[in-house]
Amino acid sequence: MADGEHVLIFDTTLRDGEQSPGATMSHTEKLEIAELLDEMAVDIIEAGFPIASEGDFEAVSEISRLAKSAVICGLARANFQDIDRCWEAVRKARRPRIHTFIGTSPLHRDIPKLSKDEMAKRIHDTVTHARNLCDNVQWSPMDATRTEWDYLARVVEIAIKAGATTINIPDTVGYTAPRESAGLIKRLIQEVPGADEVVFATHCHNDLGMATANALAAVEGGARQIECTINGLGERAGNTALEEVVMAMRVRSDIMPFKTGVDTTKLIHVSRRVATVSGFAVQYNKAIVGKNAFAHESGIHQDGMLKNAKTFEIMRPEDVGLSETSIVMGKHSGRAALRSKLRELGFDPGDNQLNDIFVRFKALADRKKEVFDDDLVALIRDQETGEVNDRIKVKFLRVICGTEAPQSADLILEIDGEETRGTAQGDGPVDATFNAVKKLFPHKARLQLYQVQAVTEGTDAQATVSVRMEEDGLIATGQSADTDTVVASAKAYVNALNRLLVRRQRAGPDADVKQVSYRVTG
């Protein structure tokens, strides 16, 4: 493969993606996602922001040690302390990279109160310092698309001369448009001295819904690295979605003659795991990995699909990791059938995990006539999110509803191994249940989001409930699924509480400071 044809995929799910409010992942979850990305043959994994917290440093260090083929990158602001900490985290990687950045637009220059000359000197000094530590250095002028052209060209040249090997051009606030994105990269390559000796990268946010288009346009302009995330996860409206740019270049190779090394058959599995550990569900009509991406309800579409799948599908489900085989699951299905179906859906549980899922599957099958694929996905997600429910567990729930009187919830929680029981009233069964939880486990967390989604159709459908809670600047998301919506709500609420407890323990008394410094990076 010629160098000009290959586009490097730089995945920042574990760094920029994790900066989505409520999407913080545990140490174990980060290691798992990094392993999946490595197996999928992502070129570069931005594993985190090492100086943001001790937890981030440990995760980047462990990922660096375990990665088999991907370049492992850490983020650092433009100061020696950040860069040294980043190097300490990534130095054990087979292929380490330091990624340092500074905001160069007028708005961002005003934050540290630096003149253009002062900032230029800082860029030279910090990139030089990073290159003295590591042969692979990436530099980013944050908010590049709103930086004056003359100054952007000047600092890019400085970074190249100081030793940067990759120049990343971020559209930090999703401001640019495809024509501008392509033109900016092309002009930098043509006019900046030394530009032909480095790789140019693009980092696009989706605030105007153009992240994928802007990233692909940048590639046409000469960029040979795309920064992206699984499911488009990221701050505000998210980042360029990895699955979208990879499949776009694969399907439309006639007009975009570029290739990546990504194993696309793993996309669905990685997408679902990221959705589970982040607590951010994938919208049904999400391109490539959404539930409806390969679904057809219109009679005209169904007729066309039956005659020739290419009439309404521009890619095969198998290309992204979906199977067309249909095995109907019910109460008479055995472990072998369950394992086979889960593998089709992109999951490969171990024996112990399978046994636990099988028990829950049987219980669900007794309540439903047929267990659909989406039921199984919800079941395994619930099993995985339930693994964090250490301190608090829902043991019993009974709700009394009436048309006039306040609703009441009778609840038993297991807290640190001891059962406690209480009753509370509320404006509806869910409100009463949440009040009962708060009565048994007092807390100051504020409910930011409560969302119910039916997994399948019918009155016996499972409901997946998502809950987002905030306490003293810390945010956590919980999920659970059950055929009883109120039960799923209680479990999701408790799941979020448990995650908050973990966040609080890790953050310590300076949690607010750490969170602010982490989210400034954009």
Side-chain angles (χ1 to χ4, degrees):
M1 185 183 301
D3 290 342
E5 294 178 332
H6 185 68
V7 175
L8 299 169
I9 298 299
F10 178 113
D11 184 276
T12 185
T13 302
L14 298 176
R15 200 278 300 170
D16 205 334
E18 200 203 15
Q19 289 179 204
S20 300
T24 305
M25 305 173 196
S26 70
H27 181 81
T28 302
E29 290 167 343
K30 287 182 178 181
L31 297 185
E32 181 192 359
I33 297 303
E35 182 180 12
L36 293 175
L37 293 171
D38 200 17
E39 291 176 350
M40 194 168 68
V42 164
D43 297 286
I44 306 105
I45 299 172
E46 189 166 50
F49 190 6
I51 206 166
S53 69
E54 187 63 29
D56 239 39
F57 177 84
E58 292 174 358
V60 177
S61 298
E62 188 72 2
I63 291 169
S64 297
R65 188 179 65 83
L66 296 175
K68 296 178 180 178
S69 59
V71 172
I72 303 301
C73 177
L75 186 69
R77 291 167 298 188
N79 64 68
F80 287 5
Q81 183 182 8
D82 272 39
I83 292 169
D84 289 342
R85 188 65 167 163
C86 181
W87 174 240
E88 285 299 314
V90 302
R91 65 186 307 169
K92 293 181 181 179
R94 290 178 174 84
R95 302 165 66 198
R97 174 183 290 190
I98 295 174
H99 177 194
T100 183
F101 73 97
I102 194 168
T104 55
S105 69
L107 287 169
H108 284 269
R109 289 199 304 269
D110 189 54
I111 295 174
K113 304 299 182 183
L114 292 175
S115 68
K116 288 183 177 181
D117 289 343
E118 289 171 334
M119 180 169 286
K121 184 178 186 306
R122 179 176 293 189
I123 292 167
H124 172 270
D125 292 346
T126 52
V127 173
T128 300
H129 182 65
R131 183 58 192 267
N132 286 336
L133 297 172
C134 182
D135 290 338
N136 191 337
V137 175
Q138 176 170 314
W139 178 75
S140 295
M142 185 166 65
D143 205 19
T145 56
R146 293 193 297 173
T147 300
E148 310 96 312
W149 162 254
D150 289 344
Y151 190 63
L152 179 63
R154 175 187 172 188
V155 292
V156 166
E157 181 181 357
I158 289 171
I160 293 173
K161 289 181 176 179
T165 52
T166 298
I167 301 294
N168 177 48
I169 304 300
D171 183 28
T172 303
V173 293
Y175 178 74
T176 197
R179 182 173 61 183
E180 294 175 330
S181 180
L184 182 58
I185 296 290
K186 186 175 182 179
R187 189 177 180 187
L188 286 168
I189 293 173
Q190 290 177 340
E191 299 185 20
V192 173
D196 57 339
E197 299 175 3
V198 300
V199 173
F200 273 82
T202 180
H203 176 109
C204 302
H205 279 261
N206 204 38
D207 297 71
L208 293 176
M210 294 190 286
T212 295
N214 285 333
L216 293 172
V219 170
E220 291 185 327
R224 287 300 177 264
Q225 176 182 295
I226 298 177
E227 298 203 359
C228 46
T229 62
I230 299 296
N231 299 336
L233 198 65
E235 291 193 272
R236 304 184 312 280
N239 290 266
T240 301
L242 180 150
E243 60 276 3
E244 292 177 13
V245 291
V246 168
M247 291 307 297
M249 287 186 286
R250 174 171 174 163
V251 173
R252 293 309 312 273
S253 60
D254 55 325
I255 60 171
M256 292 181 283
F258 312 109
K259 296 180 180 179
T260 73
V262 172
D263 181 355
T264 63
T265 63
K266 298 183 183 296
L267 286 173
I268 289 293
H269 177 46
V270 178
S271 167
R272 287 170 173 168
R273 287 301 296 136
V274 169
T276 297
V277 302
S278 68
F280 278 56
V282 178
Q283 67 189 61
Y284 278 21
N285 61 335
K286 169 74 175 64
I288 315 300
V289 294
K291 176 182 176 182
N292 290 346
F294 294 93
H296 306 272
E297 185 173 328
S298 162
I300 296 175
H301 284 223
Q302 289 175 340
D303 180 64
M305 286 295 298
L306 291 171
K307 293 174 180 175
N308 186 342
K310 291 182 179 180
T311 54
F312 289 105
E313 286 186 353
I314 59 174
M315 52 195 147
R316 302 182 306 161
E318 305 96 287
D319 293 340
V320 298
L322 285 172
S323 174
E324 293 181 314
T325 305
S326 177
I327 300 176
V328 178
M329 302 298 294
K331 64 181 181 179
H332 299 297
S333 300
R335 279 183 174 80
L338 178 62
R339 185 188 290 276
S340 176
K341 171 57 74 173
L342 290 176
R343 283 176 173 169
E344 285 179 19
L345 297 174
F347 301 97
D348 191 12
D351 291 340
N352 291 336
Q353 187 183 15
L354 179 68
N355 289 337
D356 180 63
I357 296 169
F358 185 71
V359 171
R360 302 173 70 194
F361 159 70
K362 283 291 190 179
L364 179 63
D366 284 337
R367 288 180 282 166
K368 297 193 65 177
K369 294 179 180 179
E370 183 178 346
V371 179
F372 298 96
D373 289 359
D374 289 325
D375 288 314
L376 292 175
V377 172
L379 197 67
I380 197 167
R381 283 179 179 170
D382 191 43
Q383 189 266 347
E384 288 162 345
T385 56
E387 291 175 356
V388 302
N389 287 352
D390 295 326
R391 290 195 60 188
I392 315 171
K393 296 181 181 179
V394 177
K395 305 300 291 186
F396 172 83
L397 175 63
R398 178 173 59 198
V399 177
I400 300 175
C401 299
T403 56
E404 297 180 1
Q407 321 300 310
S408 65
D410 184 15
L411 177 68
I412 297 177
L413 290 182
E414 182 184 302
I415 303 174
D416 294 329
E418 296 185 7
E419 291 189 0
T420 179
R421 185 168 191 159
T423 302
Q425 294 183 333
D427 185 14
V430 173
D431 186 49
T433 299
F434 289 179
N435 288 339
V437 174
K438 194 168 185 178
K439 181 178 181 180
L440 296 176
F441 190 84
H443 59 85
K444 297 179 181 179
R446 183 174 62 89
L447 184 66
Q448 284 191 331
L449 171 72
Y450 172 75
Q451 183 174 325
V452 181
Q453 185 179 56
V455 175
T456 54
E457 297 178 357
T459 56
D460 62 350
Q462 281 196 102
T464 293
V465 176
S466 298
V467 169
R468 185 184 302 160
M469 303 178 72
E470 182 271 335
E471 182 182 38
D472 296 331
L474 299 175
I475 300 174
T477 302
Q479 282 186 326
S480 189
D482 198 279
T483 53
D484 188 317
T485 304
V486 182
V487 172
S489 300
K491 291 181 177 179
Y493 190 86
V494 166
N495 184 257
L497 271 180
N498 277 298
R499 289 177 178 267
L500 266 181
L501 294 175
V502 173
R503 305 277 191 273
R504 185 195 302 166
Q505 184 178 8
R506 287 179 178 168
D510 58 342
D512 290 343
V513 175
K514 288 180 178 179
Q515 187 148 356
V516 170
S517 68
Y518 186 90
R519 299 190 189 284
V520 161
T521 61

